[in-house]
Structures are given as structure tokens and as C-alpha cells.
Amino acid sequence: MELIKSWRRQAPSLRVLRAFLGVTFAYAGVQKLADPGYLSSSSPTFIGTQLREFAIGSPMAWLLHPLMQHSIGVGVAVALVEIAIGVGTLVGIAPFIMALGGCLTSLVLWLSATWHVHPYFLGSDSIYAVTWAAYAISLRETRGSPSAEAAPDKAAPLQPGIDRRTFIRSGAFISAVLALGGMARGLRGTSKSTGLVKGTAAAPAPSSSAPTSHAPSPRSVDGNPIIAADKLKVGHPVAFTGPSGEPAVLFRLADDEVVAYSRVCTHAGCTVGYDSSSDLLVCPCHSAQFDPSQGGRVLSGPTSIPLPEIAVAVDDASGEVVAT
């Protein structure tokens, strides 16, 4: 079988690289499509929101800005390209082209998604770009070696077009990529990384000079309404737009305690999401974890700065939780 032969022809070191890069890229594409918020404009992990945040200070801003107008198409394309590169690498379809594609994809992500990560080696995309490049060079060197079955290739003259086997393999490859993408999208409801209900905050207003959390107040409170207090449940955070226009999240920690935080990660500016399995706010870019029950304190990750707190209170007159 050609697939088995393609693995046997490679040195053990290249097999390790091939397996790791192929599985990782295929998983990255599947993970994007499986995220229920990836293609939803009301979600914190919406691809359009990510593109907007990546463009800030990025050398790729000139490209990212026009792509924002076609966010959903870009999101689907990126996921399918990653799946295609991963599956193609694993099954041996145009290995050198797939390696170059992996290198280019990682380079683009490095210059956008992880451009603000310092020091640079904390950003995985730079490492993937170099690893894909090294794999591509190794494939080219191996192809030119005497042991790479050069003799049979030289003996057989090149034929125009493609043969039946290549056609079938290509068709099976494309079908596998689309099927994997479809299955990933079908599993989108099982994701736990963005358990946020959308709030209905009014237009932003100037923020308080001393953001704090407040217990329910016996008087009327001026501010922007977010959600009715009786609809805010413990363990079910609500996403809303903060006073400065930033993505934010509201929590009820107890019957008499509500808190809110900016969802802009204090490391590289990505939008954090709520992980219902750990009750933490987690950054999707570099895995920083923040505890909303402890003032947004950092539990792990490349940052040491907690999430900024936003002043909120319960207006007894209207029964709404408001940003003050």
C-alpha cells in the first residue's frame, strides 16, 4: 500500500515530525469548526472578533482589515486549509506542497495571532513555521538522495495529465477533508469553552473611576442595563459590552454578589472565554487562566496581570444588573 510505503521510506525523525504536524493541524481545523461560537457573530470566539483583535499592531493589518468583511468565509477557509494540510501530510498527498502550506499558514498566524507574544518563543506559531520549513527541506533533501527510489522515477517517462490512481487518491483526499470538516461542525454543540449567555447592555457610558463589585443596592442605580437580576444565575455568566466598548462578562458568585470583568486578556489582547468545566476564564491564544471568584486573578499563563474589573450593581427599582 502506497501510504504505508511513504511512511517506511522516511527516517524515524521525519516520521515523528510528520505525525505530530499532521495530527496537530488536522485537530486545529476540527477544533475551530467544533467551536459553537467560531462562526457566530454574537460569540466571544467569533472569527471576525479575532481578526479585529489580531490586526491591532500587526504587520498583517493591511490584509486582516479587508478580510473582516468576509469573516465567516475566511473562518471556514482557514479551518479547511488546516484540515487539508494535516490530512494531506498524514496520508502523503503532495507532501512537499503540504509542508510549504503548513509553513506559510504558521507564518501568517505568527505575524497576526501571536505577533504580540513576548518573548517570541512563547508563541507556538513561530515554532510551527520553523518546524514546517525544516520538514519541507528534509523532504526535498530526501527526494534527491540515491535511496529515495530515484531510479524508477527516471526510468519511467513523465505522462501528461494524471493517472487513475492519483485521481482516485485526490478525490478521496478532498472527500475526507470535507467530511472531517462537516463532522467537526456537527459536534459544535459539545464545546465547553464558551459557556456565555449574551446580555443586552445599552450603549457604553463612561466607566467609574474606581471599579468595584457591589451587592444589591436598596436605591436606584444609574448605569447601562445588562440583564434582569433574576435571570442571572450562579454558574451561568453573561457576555456584554463594557463601558469602553470592550467585550466583558458578568458573573453572579452568590445571591448577593455580582462581579464583571473585561474579557481582553492582559497578555496579548485575545478575548477570553468561559470554561464551564473549571469555572474559569481561559484565553484561547496562550491558555492563560483567570479566576472570576478571586478578582480575575491569574492562575496560570504567560501574564501576571489580572483581568480588569468593571463596576456593576443591581438596581432594585428596575430589577436590572447595570454597569455603573
Side-chain angles (χ1 to χ4, degrees), residues 199-208 210-232 238-243 248-252 257-261 309-324:
T200 55
S207 60
S208 171
T212 55
S213 301
H214 300 284
S217 172
R219 59 183 176 80
S220 178
V221 179
D222 293 329
N224 299 319
I226 302 172
I227 190 173
D230 60 358
K231 293 183 178 180
L232 181 61
V238 171
F240 70 101
T241 301
V249 60
L250 174 69
F251 287 88
R252 167 162 261 157
E257 185 179 8
V258 291
V259 294
Y261 304 95
E309 194 168 352
I310 296 173
V312 292
V314 175
D315 183 352
D316 285 342
S318 65
E320 298 272 350
V321 179
V322 300
T324 61

Side-chain angles (χ1 to χ4, degrees), residues 49-214:
T49 303
Q50 295 185 50
L51 290 174
R52 184 178 68 249
E53 294 169 351
F54 294 161
I56 300 174
S58 166
M60 298 287 294
W62 59 272
L63 176 61
L64 298 178
H65 283 298
L67 291 180
M68 293 177 197
Q69 303 175 16
H70 312 282
S71 298
I72 293 180
V74 171
V76 172
V78 169
L80 290 180
V81 165
E82 288 181 331
I83 293 174
I85 291 173
V87 174
T89 297
L90 292 173
V91 302
I93 298 289
F96 183 70
I97 299 300
M98 294 298 170
L100 289 181
C103 180
L104 179 61
T105 301
S106 299
L107 183 61
V108 170
L109 292 174
W110 178 14
L111 296 176
S112 55
T114 53
W115 179 250
H116 297 290
V117 178
H118 299 289
Y120 73 91
F121 52 78
L122 291 178
S124 59
D125 294 315
S126 59
I127 301 172
Y128 278 112
V130 174
T131 305
W132 276 113
Y135 182 60
I137 292 171
S138 299
L139 289 173
R140 181 61 66 178
E141 291 176 342
T142 302
R143 186 177 180 181
S145 67
S147 61
E149 298 184 350
D153 292 337
K154 291 181 178 179
L158 294 175
Q159 300 294 331
I162 59 175
D163 58 27
R164 182 171 178 272
R165 177 184 296 179
T166 302
F167 179 80
I168 293 175
R169 290 182 66 198
S170 300
F173 165 66
I174 294 173
S175 299
V177 170
L178 295 177
L180 192 56
M183 287 189 294
R185 193 61 186 156
L187 294 174
R188 62 190 181 275
T190 63
S191 173
K192 296 186 294 184
S193 61
T194 56
L196 297 175
V197 177
K198 189 67 176 178
T200 55
S207 60
S208 171
S209 60
T212 55
S213 301
H214 300 284

